[in-house]
Amino acid sequence: MQIIKPGINVDFMGKRYIAFAVSAVLLLTGLVAYIIRGGLNYGVDFSGGLMVQIQLTGPKDISDIRKALEAVNLQESTIQSLGKTDDAIYLIRTAKLEGINSETLNGDITNALEAYFGKDAVAEVGRLEMVGPKVGKDLRDKALAAIFYSILLIAVYISGRFEQKWTMSIVMAVCFIVVVLIGLSLGASMTWLILIAFITSLVFCWVLRLRYAMSAILSLIHDTLIVLGAFAITNKEISLTVVAAILTLIGYSLNDTIVTFDRIREHLRSNSEKKSLAEIANRSVNETLSRTILTSGTVFAYPVKGDNGIIKRI
């Protein structure tokens, strides 16, 4: 199936400086938002605490909901309205877990709200999550490590797969492991460890002339940072589901990267016309454009909706 006619020749490489400028603006905007907000908005999965999602039979004022929740020690919670006002869906979040019994919390919340607003005021208590602060920190570190290791192991694979430099790839992997072990022995946090390891891997790629691997790393880092920047700008919550989505994004980005690299390599081998690398890259991107659009476009073809508008973890 083709939605792009064969022979198309969009000058992507000719517009690369415009793309660089747009990417730079997006990255800087995300960085500024990250600094202003004091970091990303981690969900209960990573920050620890309690999250409850409820649906009432009719819209209520958030201040009234907070007063009703005093009976279950949730009066200091952050309460957010989700969806349309008439949906009456509210997300309750708190970092305090003292005096809260998770086993009876659903019933306690229902009783407290119905005692304040009247009988049958609660339509559904749809989502309940409770995570301790230590567990949240461990999950956050493991999530960062999952993204981190996936990108770097991909770089090792691409070096061997496209440049036939498996020895150099193994050397880079060993050096990377040594750097990680040194960082762990010095007690570096996961954030600093990731930053140091990324810089180290890029240096090794440059020194060992692993062009494909370096390009892949920069591409994946770029795509990941753009997404995280969007979350920082919108102050959307980062949860385990979002981490899974980022790993999926990395997979799609890698898939496109490998297909394009493969086409570039084929054209470099048969470059009888002595075309420049920019011309070859542009031709390769155009030849794989239809496949890229179809692969990425199918992600948006099947929207998922929760029952009764309630967001549920899948």
Side-chain angles (χ1 to χ4, degrees), residues 172-190:
M172 183 178 70
V174 170
C175 293
F176 160 69
I177 292 172
V178 170
V179 170
V180 170
L181 291 176
I182 292 174
L184 289 173
S185 65
L186 296 176
S189 66
M190 181 57 68

Side-chain angles (χ1 to χ4, degrees), residues 17-32 222 226:
Y17 294 112
I18 297 176
F20 292 159
V22 172
S23 291
V25 169
L26 292 175
L27 290 171
L28 288 174
T29 304
L31 177 61
V32 170
H222 168 271
I226 289 291

Side-chain angles (χ1 to χ4, degrees), residues 274-295:
K274 302 300 180 182
K275 292 184 178 181
S276 66
L277 181 59
E279 291 175 315
I280 292 175
N282 198 72
R283 179 182 174 186
S284 301
V285 172
N286 277 278
E287 289 177 349
T288 59
L289 186 59
S290 179
R291 181 216 151 271
T292 298
I293 294 175
L294 284 172
T295 303

Side-chain angles (χ1 to χ4, degrees), residues 219-239:
S219 173
L220 296 176
I221 292 174
H222 168 271
D223 295 344
T224 304
L225 289 180
I226 289 291
V227 173
L228 293 176
F231 273 87
I233 293 169
T234 59
N235 201 32
K236 293 293 184 180
E237 181 182 282
I238 302 290
S239 64

Side-chain angles (χ1 to χ4, degrees), residues 19-284:
F20 292 159
V22 172
S23 291
V25 169
L26 292 175
L27 290 171
L28 288 174
T29 304
L31 177 61
V32 170
Y34 177 88
I35 295 172
I36 292 175
R37 297 187 187 281
L40 296 172
N41 179 20
Y42 291 111
V44 171
D45 293 332
F46 300 133
S47 62
L50 171 72
M51 178 186 294
V52 184
Q53 185 170 297
I54 61 173
Q55 183 174 23
L56 303 180
T57 53
K60 306 294 181 184
D61 190 88
I62 289 179
S63 60
D64 290 332
I65 296 176
R66 183 171 286 107
K67 290 179 181 178
L69 294 175
E70 290 180 1
V72 287
N73 298 319
L74 292 175
Q75 65 273 14
E76 297 182 9
S77 304
T78 299
I79 303 176
Q80 179 183 1
S81 176
L82 301 179
K84 299 179 181 179
T85 303
D86 293 339
D87 294 335
I89 301 174
Y90 302 93
L91 188 67
I92 304 167
R93 295 178 54 189
T94 181
K96 295 183 179 181
L97 299 177
E98 296 84 359
I100 297 176
N101 187 345
S102 60
E103 296 180 358
T104 62
L105 186 59
N106 279 10
D108 293 341
I109 290 176
T110 300
N111 294 334
L113 291 171
E114 290 184 348
Y116 190 90
F117 294 113
K119 188 178 180 180
D120 298 328
V122 180
E124 183 178 5
V125 179
R127 176 180 172 189
L128 171 62
E129 298 178 13
M130 181 179 289
V131 180
K134 186 178 184 304
V135 175
K137 182 179 182 302
D138 290 341
L139 286 174
R140 184 169 67 246
D141 289 344
K142 289 178 180 178
L144 288 172
I147 297 173
F148 167 59
Y149 289 121
S150 64
I151 292 177
L152 290 176
L153 290 176
I154 283 167
V156 173
Y157 166 76
I158 289 179
S159 298
R161 171 69 174 77
F162 287 96
E163 299 175 286
Q164 301 301 315
K165 296 180 180 179
W166 287 108
T167 302
M168 293 295 186
S169 300
I170 294 172
V171 169
M172 183 178 70
V174 170
C175 293
F176 160 69
I177 292 172
V178 170
V179 170
V180 170
L181 291 176
I182 292 174
L184 289 173
S185 65
L186 296 176
S189 66
M190 181 57 68
T191 302
W192 280 106
L193 191 61
I194 289 174
L195 181 61
I196 292 171
F198 269 139
I199 294 174
T200 303
S201 63
L202 290 174
V203 170
F204 280 126
C205 287
W206 179 270
V207 173
L208 299 176
R209 295 185 178 182
L210 302 175
R211 298 177 298 171
Y212 287 99
M214 187 171 184
S215 300
I217 290 176
L218 290 175
S219 173
L220 296 176
I221 292 174
H222 168 271
D223 295 344
T224 304
L225 289 180
I226 289 291
V227 173
L228 293 176
F231 273 87
I233 293 169
T234 59
N235 201 32
K236 293 293 184 180
E237 181 182 282
I238 302 290
S239 64
L240 286 174
T241 305
V242 172
V243 173
I246 292 175
L247 290 173
T248 303
L249 169 72
I250 291 173
Y252 273 93
S253 179
L254 174 66
N255 194 24
D256 283 336
T257 299
I258 287 178
V259 171
T260 305
F261 280 0
D262 197 47
R263 193 60 60 88
I264 290 174
R265 185 178 60 173
E266 290 177 4
H267 289 319
L268 284 174
R269 287 175 176 174
S270 59
N271 188 19
S272 58
E273 299 177 7
K274 302 300 180 182
K275 292 184 178 181
S276 66
L277 181 59
E279 291 175 315
I280 292 175
N282 198 72
R283 179 182 174 186
S284 301

